[in-house]
Amino acid sequence: LVDAIELIDEQLSEDVTVILAGTGPEYERIETDVGTRGLQHRIHLVGHLDQLALSEVYASASIGVLPGTPSYTSPTKLLEYASHGLAIVAPDCAGVRDLFTNAKNALLVDPEVAELADALLRLQDQDTCDALADNGSQLAASWTWRRVVETTLRFLVEAHCNATPRFKRRRP
């Protein structure tokens, strides 16, 4: 994400601010990287936020970005973004595509800096941003925890039924 912001920094309007919330093993490296690149005016690392503070960040935001993820992931964080009315930029991978559709309720991108940067620039168009956010909100409203559990169980049953047995049962 830092690479993408550096690439398009001069093309972004002055009021665009990137808030990086959370901590992890890369936090200090990212913090140093932002400073070294002179992007402190654009990117703010806020560390761990409690739920109230995170809700305030969501309320002030218009875009939620998940810049990279393993090849398959549960899109729970993206549903959280969508439920707060944010337009979404996410990796184009199996777990995300299970729920989100490119250019309908999210912008799904390959994990390349240029593609992420292009998606962020596309969302400077307010109509595009609003349409993705509205469609994402509708999707999020339809995904209750009950539905998540039912879908997961259905997936597991289908996977089990389609699996090739590895061992033969011994009959006593």
Side-chain angles (χ1 to χ4, degrees):
L1 182 58
V2 174
D3 292 338
I5 295 299
E6 182 179 42
L7 186 64
I8 61 174
D9 183 41
E10 293 181 9
Q11 299 171 60
L12 295 171
S13 63
E14 288 184 22
D15 63 337
V16 172
T17 302
V18 177
I19 304 293
L20 295 180
T23 58
E26 296 293 311
Y27 185 87
E28 288 182 13
R29 184 194 60 77
I30 293 169
E31 186 175 42
T32 300
D33 202 21
V34 167
T36 301
R37 297 179 191 209
L39 294 171
Q40 308 92 319
H41 68 285
R42 183 77 68 192
I43 301 174
H44 304 277
L45 282 81
V46 296
H48 173 77
L49 299 176
D50 63 28
Q51 201 57 45
L52 179 60
L54 188 56
S55 292
E56 291 172 1
V57 168
Y58 287 152
S60 69
S62 53
I63 301 169
V65 180
L66 186 63
T69 189
S71 61
Y72 189 90
T73 186
S74 169
T76 305
K77 178 55 71 179
L78 300 176
L79 286 170
E80 185 176 333
Y81 290 162
S83 71
H84 284 86
L86 305 182
I88 294 171
V89 179
D92 188 5
C93 67
V96 174
R97 280 191 311 268
D98 285 346
L99 286 182
F100 292 88
T101 303
N102 187 40
K104 178 180 179 186
N105 47 31
L107 293 181
L108 305 182
V109 299
D110 287 330
E112 297 175 17
V113 172
E115 282 208 31
L116 179 56
D118 182 57
L120 294 171
L121 287 175
R122 285 178 60 194
L123 290 177
Q124 286 196 114
D125 176 73
Q126 195 62 52
D127 291 337
T128 301
C129 193
D130 290 346
L132 288 171
D134 290 345
N135 291 336
S137 291
Q138 291 173 18
L139 174 69
S142 72
W143 275 90
T144 62
W145 278 111
R146 179 183 182 96
R147 184 172 175 194
V148 170
V149 169
E150 289 171 351
T151 302
T152 302
L153 289 174
R154 186 173 53 249
F155 171 79
L156 292 173
V157 167
E158 288 173 9
H160 176 73
C161 290
N162 293 328
T164 303
R166 291 183 163 182
F167 304 101
K168 289 186 176 184
R169 285 188 176 185
R170 291 185 182 180
R171 304 245 182 224

